[in-house]
């Protein structure tokens, strides 16, 4: 700080300086605790806080106080400003006189005064192209120490005043063109912008200031939503630990009743469960770090917008807000989740390897697993844009059956429609998380059910298997069920299901099928590498002389299981 600037600060008594902006009060207001602040300063301070408190004494107010300008104090401050401007600095007079003593010295460029100083203004040392203001060394300090302001572009004050003038007509930019979204001068409104809607900069500044407050409020809501998401993730991890501990204890009790081979299997199971828990915690840490980074970016942008509310030229507000109003890149968090029950199917798959010895235990675990599926239930409907021309969909798009003859008026042959095979996809697509739905197959002798990639081939004959983008099971000629793998896997079941549950875990790469009534597991595709949206897949197959005429029916979504089993992290962000 120079001696001249220090003298300017010292010339303003502390009673007339706001403790937030450290400058003479502008529109002073008094809050309930008795302290005074600039109106914009205290509003901006409260906008960045979750509660309304005094920056000086830290007294907290239950509701945000309604602020009104202290007219009496404002008159006193204004009187002080006039008295300061009426008393010229003697040393400056001496400097002027000393300059007149050296007439042969070259004239220096005209000094640019600080836009923030009141009364005796100091000479500015830098001008900010983003803030559209010139600053003395004292008021430039925030641009030096604040990381957000350090990205602003500073320039020589001598060249800065030209930025307030029209480059074409060298006139003040007093108007704003709404069509081109740019400040213009009066000459521009008479020529290039003659037929455009223009308003004065002050009027547009008030409108943008309203948008600025709205943008700030949206950012704060986004921050709060992400804080809530972080809390839910932490709770989910804690619950995951409890569920994992219960699964480990249960498996230990079962394995201790069996032979040494089962004990070795139990040890491997515990190791696998522990690994899954470690992976869940690592995933949660990564999500929390990503959420924290987004919060930091949003808070930085909020700080930048906050500074726009400080008293300054309307032109600065217009030129700065367009760039600052665009929110930093943020991830869509509504579908992101850390699932508590990361042991789903692990115990069942491990114990099933013991076949005969553990068959009863595997059946019991399968029933428990099936009971948990309803927490991931989704409402699936059929997509008529993909349905083959031979298919008939119910008005509610929950049933599909085969017509005895193709439609007389052919359907539009769009790229999404199956034109040869009698197939249809679900309207919904899944790119993350866990999903479950139930389809009634009844006594049908032929059918396919499963999921398919969005990019599957839908024209001509199709091959239903994973390398073609299908993960499905099927029944043919009233026989046993088969997994449509490569090669096909015959499924030896105790009974043919009347209702089939389809479960998808996108991140885990699982597609599982269940007999809903018997609560038994049918088949699971594991280790699938999903890289694009998945759609439910249905094929009611041909009628086979009326023996296969009944429709495939999507069953209503059932209520979710107890909340204590899982915390669903599906709040919108």
């Amino acid at each position: 700080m120079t001696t001249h600037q220090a003298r300017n600060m010292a010339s303003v008594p502390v009673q007339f300086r706001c403790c937030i902006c450290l400058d003479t009060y502008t529109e002073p207001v008094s809050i309930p605790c008795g302290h005074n602040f600039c109106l914009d300063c205290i509003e901006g301070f409260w906008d960045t806080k979750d509660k309304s408190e005094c920056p000086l004494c830290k007294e907290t107010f239950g509701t945000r106080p309604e602020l009104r300008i202290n007219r009496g104090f404002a008159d006193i401050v204004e009187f002080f400003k006039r008295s300061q401007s009426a008393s010229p600095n003697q040393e400056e007079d001496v400097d002027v006189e000393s300059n007149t003593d050296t007439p042969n010295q070259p004239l220096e460029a005209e000094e640019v005064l600080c836009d923030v100083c009141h009364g005796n203004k100091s000479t500015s040392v830098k001008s900010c192209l983003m803030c559209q203001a010139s600053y003395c060394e004292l008021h430039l300090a925030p641009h030096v120490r604040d990381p957000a302001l350090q990205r602003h572009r500073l320039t020589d004050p001598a060249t800065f005043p030209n930025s307030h003038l029209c480059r074409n007509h060298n006139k003040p930019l007093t108007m704003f063109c709404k069509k081109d979204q740019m400040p213009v001068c009066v000459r521009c409104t008479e020529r290039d912008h003659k037929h455009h809607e223009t308003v004065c900069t002050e009027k547009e500044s008030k409108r943008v200031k309203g948008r600025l407050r709205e943008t700030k409020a949206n950012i704060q809501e986004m921050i709060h939503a992400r804080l809530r998401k972080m809390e839910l993730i932490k709770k989910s991890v804690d619950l995951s630990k409890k569920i994992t501990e219960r699964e480990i204890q249960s498996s230990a009790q079962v394995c201790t009743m069996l032979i040494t081979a089962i004990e070795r299997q139990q040890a491997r199971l515990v190791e696998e469960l522990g690994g899954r828990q470690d992976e869940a915690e690592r995933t949660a840490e990564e999500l929390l770090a990503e959420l924290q980074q987004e919060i930091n970016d949003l808070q930085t942008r909020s700080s930048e917008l906050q500074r726009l509310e400080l008293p300054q030229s309307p032109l600065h507000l217009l030129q700065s807000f367009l760039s600052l109003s665009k929110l930093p890149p943020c991830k869509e968090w509504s579908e992101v989740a850390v699932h508590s029950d990361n042991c789903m199917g692990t115990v069942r798959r491990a114990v099933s390897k013991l076949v005969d010895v553990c068959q009863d235990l595997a059946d019991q675990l399968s029933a428990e697993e099936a009971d948990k599926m309803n927490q991931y239930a989704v409402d699936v409907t059929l997509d008529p844009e993909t349905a083959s021309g031979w298919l008939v969909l119910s008005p509610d798009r929950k049933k599909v059956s085969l017509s005895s003859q193709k439609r007389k008026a052919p359907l539009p042959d769009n790229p999404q429609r199956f034109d040869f095979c009698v197939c249809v996809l679900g309207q919904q697509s899944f790119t993350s998380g866990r999903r479950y739905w139930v389809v009634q197959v009844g006594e049908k002798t032929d059918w396919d059910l499963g999921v398919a990639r969005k990019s599957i081939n839908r024209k001509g004959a199709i091959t239903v298997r994973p390398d073609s983008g299908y993960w499905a099971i099927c029944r043919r000629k009233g026989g046993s069920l088969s997994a449509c793998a490569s090669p096909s896997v015959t499924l030896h079941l105790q009974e043919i299901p009347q209702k089939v549950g389809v479960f998808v875990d996108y991140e885990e790469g699982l597609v599982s099928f269940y007999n809903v009534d018997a609560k038994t597991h049918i088949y699971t595709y594991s280790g699938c590498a999903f890289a694009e949206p998945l759609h439910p897949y249905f094929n009611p197959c041909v009628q086979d002389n009326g023996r296969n005429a009944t429709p495939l029916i999507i069953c209503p979504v059932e209520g979710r299981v107890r909340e204590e089993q899982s915390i669903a992290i599906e709040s919108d962000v």
Side-chain angles (χ1 to χ4, degrees):
M1 182 186 301
T2 64
T3 304
H4 177 62
Q5 292 165 338
R7 189 187 305 105
N8 281 342
M9 281 294 295
S11 64
V12 181
V14 68
Q15 293 85 353
F16 296 105
R17 289 204 304 265
C18 173
C19 70
I20 297 179
C21 65
L22 301 179
D23 208 343
T24 310
Y25 287 110
T26 301
E27 297 184 332
V29 295
S30 298
I31 62 177
C33 64
H35 291 112
N36 299 317
F37 306 91
C38 299
L39 176 60
D40 285 342
C41 289
I42 190 61
E43 284 187 341
F45 177 82
W46 284 342
D47 286 343
T48 62
K49 301 291 183 180
D50 293 329
K51 57 184 178 180
S52 300
E53 64 176 12
C54 175
L56 289 175
C57 65
K58 302 302 180 183
E59 180 179 345
T60 303
F61 312 111
T63 57
R64 185 163 176 166
E66 182 180 356
L67 300 178
R68 296 183 179 180
I69 298 175
N70 189 331
R71 299 298 179 184
F73 187 49
D75 293 340
I76 296 174
V77 173
E78 187 62 28
F79 177 82
F80 169 76
K81 291 179 181 179
R82 289 198 299 269
S83 64
Q84 287 291 99
S85 61
S87 17
N89 188 290
Q90 294 180 354
E91 289 189 19
E92 287 182 294
D93 292 340
V94 172
D95 292 339
V96 174
E97 291 176 2
S98 63
N99 288 337
T100 59
D101 292 338
T102 56
N104 295 328
Q105 216 171 0
L107 292 176
E108 297 182 356
E110 183 179 355
E111 290 185 345
V112 179
L113 301 181
C114 176
D115 291 326
V116 182
C117 291
H118 292 282
N120 294 329
K121 291 182 175 289
S122 302
T123 302
S124 60
V125 295
K126 288 290 181 181
S127 297
C128 178
L129 295 179
M130 183 169 287
C131 298
Q132 285 291 300
S134 298
Y135 302 100
C136 64
E137 186 173 349
L138 173 65
H139 292 112
L140 184 66
H143 280 73
V144 176
R145 63 173 180 264
D146 192 324
L149 294 178
Q150 286 175 0
R151 296 196 292 268
H152 289 195
R153 185 179 174 185
L154 302 178
T155 186
D156 185 356
T159 62
F160 177 69
N162 293 332
S163 64
H164 295 271
L165 301 177
C166 176
R167 293 184 178 181
N168 296 328
H169 308 108
N170 201 33
K171 296 292 184 182
L173 298 171
T174 58
M175 305 296 290
F176 185 83
C177 177
K178 288 192 172 183
K179 179 180 179 181
D180 296 330
Q181 289 292 297
M182 60 182 293
V184 296
C185 70
V186 176
R187 289 276 186 87
C188 291
T189 62
E190 299 172 350
R191 297 181 180 181
D192 297 340
H193 301 265
K194 182 176 181 180
H195 300 292
H196 298 175
E197 182 181 1
T198 57
V199 296
C200 65
T201 54
E202 290 80 5
K203 181 177 180 180
E204 184 66 13
S205 173
K206 291 180 180 179
R207 188 186 69 83
V208 170
K209 195 167 185 179
R211 288 186 57 197
L212 183 149
R213 293 179 184 273
E214 181 181 348
T215 303
K216 282 178 54 185
N218 291 338
I219 289 178
Q220 290 301 316
E221 179 58 31
M222 292 175 68
I223 292 174
H224 292 156
R226 280 152 178 76
L227 289 173
R228 292 192 296 268
K229 173 71 75 171
M230 292 176 67
E231 186 64 27
L232 285 172
I233 290 176
K234 292 176 182 178
K235 290 181 179 179
S236 182
V237 172
D238 292 339
L239 183 57
S240 177
K241 290 182 180 180
K242 297 178 181 178
I243 294 176
T244 301
E245 291 172 359
R246 289 202 300 264
E247 293 289 346
I248 293 174
Q249 293 173 0
S250 176
S251 66
Q253 292 173 359
V254 172
C255 290
T256 53
M257 295 186 300
L258 303 176
I259 60 177
T260 305
I262 300 178
E263 293 177 347
R264 290 196 298 268
Q265 178 64 32
Q266 187 268 337
R268 289 195 293 269
L269 176 61
V270 171
E271 182 180 357
E272 182 179 354
L273 290 173
R276 287 179 176 273
Q277 176 57 34
D278 293 339
E279 181 63 26
E281 292 181 2
R282 285 193 296 271
T283 300
E285 290 174 0
E286 292 173 359
L287 292 175
L288 293 173
E290 191 173 354
L291 280 165
Q292 186 61 57
Q293 182 60 47
E294 287 195 11
I295 290 174
N296 292 341
D297 293 343
L298 291 169
Q299 288 176 336
T300 298
R301 181 56 54 86
S302 180
S303 299
E304 293 175 351
L305 292 172
Q306 174 62 36
R307 292 184 182 89
L308 292 183
E309 290 188 317
L310 296 176
Q312 49 200 314
S313 69
L315 181 59
H316 154 60
L317 180 62
L318 296 175
Q319 292 177 332
S320 302
F321 179 72
L322 291 178
S323 61
L324 293 180
S325 62
K326 297 179 180 179
L327 299 181
C330 290
K331 182 176 181 179
E332 174 57 46
W333 290 92
S334 60
E335 294 292 333
V336 178
V338 174
H339 298 287
S340 306
D341 193 358
N342 56 17
C343 309
M344 180 71 69
T346 303
V347 178
R348 187 265 308 154
R349 290 193 298 274
V351 175
S352 294
K353 295 178 182 179
L354 300 175
V355 190
D356 296 332
V357 179
C358 300
Q359 187 59 55
D360 292 339
L361 178 60
D363 291 341
Q364 177 185 349
L365 293 172
S366 294
E368 293 177 359
E369 184 179 338
D371 284 338
K372 296 178 181 178
M373 288 301 168
N374 283 336
Q375 63 184 305
Y376 305 113
V378 291
D379 187 17
V380 171
T381 55
L382 302 170
D383 184 2
E385 296 297 319
T386 66
S388 165
W390 291 90
L391 296 180
V392 177
L393 307 186
S394 63
D396 62 357
R397 294 186 293 171
K398 293 289 187 178
K399 300 179 183 179
V400 56
S401 57
L402 194 70
S403 174
S404 58
Q405 57 183 0
K406 200 171 184 179
R407 300 172 185 269
K408 295 181 179 179
L411 295 171
D413 186 20
N414 58 57
Q416 293 78 31
R417 190 180 306 284
F418 292 91
D419 64 349
F420 183 78
C421 297
V422 288
C423 306
V424 61
L425 298 182
Q427 183 79 49
Q428 293 71 25
S429 64
F430 315 125
T431 57
S432 64
R434 298 173 175 180
R435 303 291 188 272
Y436 177 73
W437 61 95
V438 176
V439 181
Q440 179 177 319
V441 297
E443 299 296 334
K444 287 182 67 65
T445 59
D446 296 80
W447 49 264
D448 294 357
L449 288 177
V451 295
R453 287 198 305 253
K454 182 178 182 180
S455 62
I456 55 171
N457 176 40
R458 311 177 191 202
K459 305 302 179 183
I462 62 175
T463 302
V464 180
R465 63 189 187 196
D467 58 1
S468 299
Y470 296 85
W471 292 266
I473 61 173
C474 67
R475 189 185 187 192
R476 292 292 182 267
K477 302 298 181 181
S480 300
L481 272 59
S482 298
C484 302
S486 181
S488 177
V489 178
T490 301
L491 305 177
H492 301 285
L493 307 177
Q494 294 181 353
E495 58 179 313
I496 301 298
Q498 298 287 306
K499 292 182 179 179
V500 176
V502 185
F503 172 72
V504 178
D505 188 330
Y506 196 94
E507 285 79 12
E508 191 69 18
L510 293 178
V511 181
S512 297
F513 300 88
Y514 296 88
N515 183 331
V516 175
D517 295 326
K519 295 185 179 181
T520 56
H521 172 259
I522 297 176
Y523 186 78
T524 290
Y525 291 94
S526 59
C528 309
F530 301 134
E532 60 181 270
L534 299 178
H535 290 263
Y537 162 71
F538 307 84
N539 183 348
C541 295
V542 297
Q543 290 192 6
D544 192 18
N545 296 323
R547 288 188 292 270
N548 191 45
T550 56
L552 292 175
I553 303 173
I554 302 172
C555 298
V557 176
E558 297 183 9
R560 295 195 170 201
V561 296
R562 296 175 301 171
E563 289 187 7
E564 65 184 27
Q565 292 181 337
S566 174
I567 295 179
I569 310 177
E570 297 178 354
S571 56
D572 292 335
V573 178

